[in-house]
Amino acid sequence: MENNIELQNVSKKYKDFELKNISFNVPKGCIVGLIGENGAGKTTTIKSILNISKSYGTIKIFGEDIKLNEKKIKEDIGVVLDDSFLSEYLTAKQINSIMKDIYKTWEETKFIGLLKQFNLPIDKLIKEFSSGMKMKLKIATAISHNPKILILDEPTSGLDPVVRSEILEIFRKYIQEDEERSILLSTHITTDLEHISDYIVFIEKGEIVFNLPTDELLENYGIIKCSKEDFLKLNEEDYIKYKKEKYQYEVLINNKNLIMKKYNTITIDKPSIEEIMLLYIKGEK
């Protein structure tokens, strides 16, 4: 499978945080979800990919080094970051005029169509928009020059479930329209990823915990909810982490079929991505 983005041993050191040898790929035709709690390194990873934050290691986009061909590469990338956008004293109409001059592939018709779909006014100053409206405008702007890659940092944060569903559908259609396209989507709303992602990259304290196909993750992982007595029957190599609740133990496993054969009386629940992430972060070993 060909990749649109490739990271190999990417590192970045700050005074109180370090990104440690991050390696993963974003294949063509795929949506890759980047998950982790706040401060885990998601935004640092994205800013490294975009060469906003200077890092060590190799980052290739469309097979080319981002550090050597940044301007050319960025023509084909749509970006939504929390802390970057045009002046709030512009209107959507003015943004359209600016983007027509910046991107050769800008589609005014698509942009205006998305504004209507998102119920965004064309002549109102952005500073008068709610946070949800601003995010929808960023997404409309990112998509409207038909980029080959979308890189999105918390794009559905602060949006109600109906609008989130609408935006996820736009992402799904964006990928379906052209199998050469990819999306890298960083989010803490992991339920969104269960519906649209092909791969999940979980980052914690600057390191990758796992990088797996979404269906494989949800199929192989499980949570055992059991008494202390049943928990003590488990061998340590049988589970990843556990958490002691008031009346029971919650135990995270990643080899569901093997555990079912080994302990045929134990019930294994199907976990959500959020439950897997939280047990990794909060659980004990």
Side-chain angles (χ1 to χ4, degrees):
M1 189 179 287
E2 287 187 66
N3 300 311
N4 272 335
I5 302 174
E6 297 175 350
L7 280 76
Q8 191 67 41
N9 297 323
V10 175
S11 301
K12 172 75 180 179
K13 197 165 188 176
Y14 295 102
K15 187 179 177 182
D16 55 353
F17 175 76
E18 186 178 357
L19 200 64
K20 304 166 191 171
N21 295 315
I22 296 290
S23 298
F24 68 89
N25 300 323
V26 179
K28 289 182 178 181
C30 292
I31 299 175
V32 175
L34 184 61
I35 66 169
E37 61 183 337
N38 289 340
K42 302 190 302 296
T43 299
T44 302
T45 300
I46 283 177
K47 288 187 173 180
S48 296
I49 292 169
L50 294 168
N51 206 32
I52 295 168
S53 177
K54 305 300 177 185
S55 57
Y56 296 97
T58 304
I59 299 170
K60 288 186 177 181
I61 301 179
F62 312 124
E64 299 187 60
D65 192 320
I66 182 68
K67 294 170 186 174
L68 301 177
N69 296 292
E70 183 173 353
K71 189 176 179 184
K72 178 189 170 190
I73 288 167
K74 284 188 174 177
E75 271 283 325
D76 283 321
I77 300 176
V79 179
V80 173
L81 299 179
D82 189 44
D83 57 358
S84 64
F85 203 60
L86 295 161
S87 167
E88 294 203 330
Y89 290 90
L90 293 171
T91 64
K93 188 176 184 179
Q94 289 169 318
I95 286 173
N96 180 58
S97 299
I98 292 166
M99 291 300 168
K100 276 198 287 188
D101 291 335
I102 293 174
Y103 293 108
K104 298 169 192 169
T105 53
W106 181 260
E107 270 194 44
E108 182 174 354
T109 308
K110 179 178 272 193
F111 182 67
I112 300 301
L114 285 168
L115 294 182
K116 287 177 180 172
Q117 185 176 336
F118 289 152
N119 294 314
L120 296 175
I122 197 163
D123 289 315
K124 193 174 183 179
L125 290 177
I126 298 168
K127 75 182 189 74
E128 296 173 21
F129 283 21
S130 67
S131 57
M133 290 168 74
K134 286 176 186 174
M135 182 55 77
K136 287 189 280 185
L137 181 58
K138 287 182 187 182
I139 291 165
T141 305
I143 288 175
S144 294
H145 67 96
N146 294 307
K148 291 178 184 171
I149 297 173
L150 279 179
I151 296 178
L152 310 151
D153 194 10
E154 301 288 354
T156 55
S157 180
L159 302 178
D160 66 60
V162 174
V163 176
R164 272 176 36 219
S165 175
E166 202 176 336
I167 287 170
L168 294 175
E169 187 56 35
I170 284 171
F171 294 159
R172 194 181 285 111
K173 283 181 181 174
Y174 164 86
I175 288 288
Q176 288 170 350
E177 283 169 5
D178 186 344
E179 61 186 20
E180 296 289 304
R181 292 174 173 174
S182 303
I183 295 177
L184 177 62
L185 169 58
S186 162
T187 183
H188 68 277
I189 307 173
T190 53
T191 49
D192 289 348
L193 297 175
E194 289 176 22
H195 303 300
I196 66 163
S197 69
D198 299 289
Y199 294 89
I200 298 289
V201 178
F202 174 28
I203 186 168
E204 173 63 9
K205 295 179 181 174
E207 296 183 273
I208 288 181
V209 178
F210 59 69
N211 174 12
L212 293 168
T214 306
D215 54 358
E216 187 181 308
L217 176 69
L218 295 174
E219 184 62 35
N220 293 341
Y221 277 67
I223 292 176
I224 300 167
K225 295 177 181 176
C226 60
S227 64
K228 183 179 180 180
E229 183 185 3
D230 283 337
F231 172 70
L232 293 173
K233 291 176 186 175
L234 297 171
N235 294 322
E236 197 170 322
E237 66 267 20
D238 291 330
Y239 60 86
I240 303 165
K241 292 281 185 84
Y242 72 89
K243 191 168 64 170
K244 187 180 178 182
E245 300 289 359
K246 192 171 182 180
Y247 298 110
Q248 65 179 5
Y249 280 73
E250 286 190 8
V251 187
L252 180 66
I253 60 166
N254 65 350
N255 48 0
K256 193 161 37 176
N257 290 337
L258 183 66
I259 296 299
M260 284 170 76
K261 286 177 186 174
K262 199 171 178 181
Y263 307 96
N264 55 17
T265 58
I266 282 178
T267 301
I268 302 172
D269 293 334
K270 188 173 181 177
S272 64
I273 294 173
E274 182 175 5
E275 286 173 320
I276 293 170
M277 186 177 80
L278 288 175
L279 266 165
Y280 261 109
I281 295 167
K282 305 291 184 187
E284 302 175 52
K285 180 62 177 174

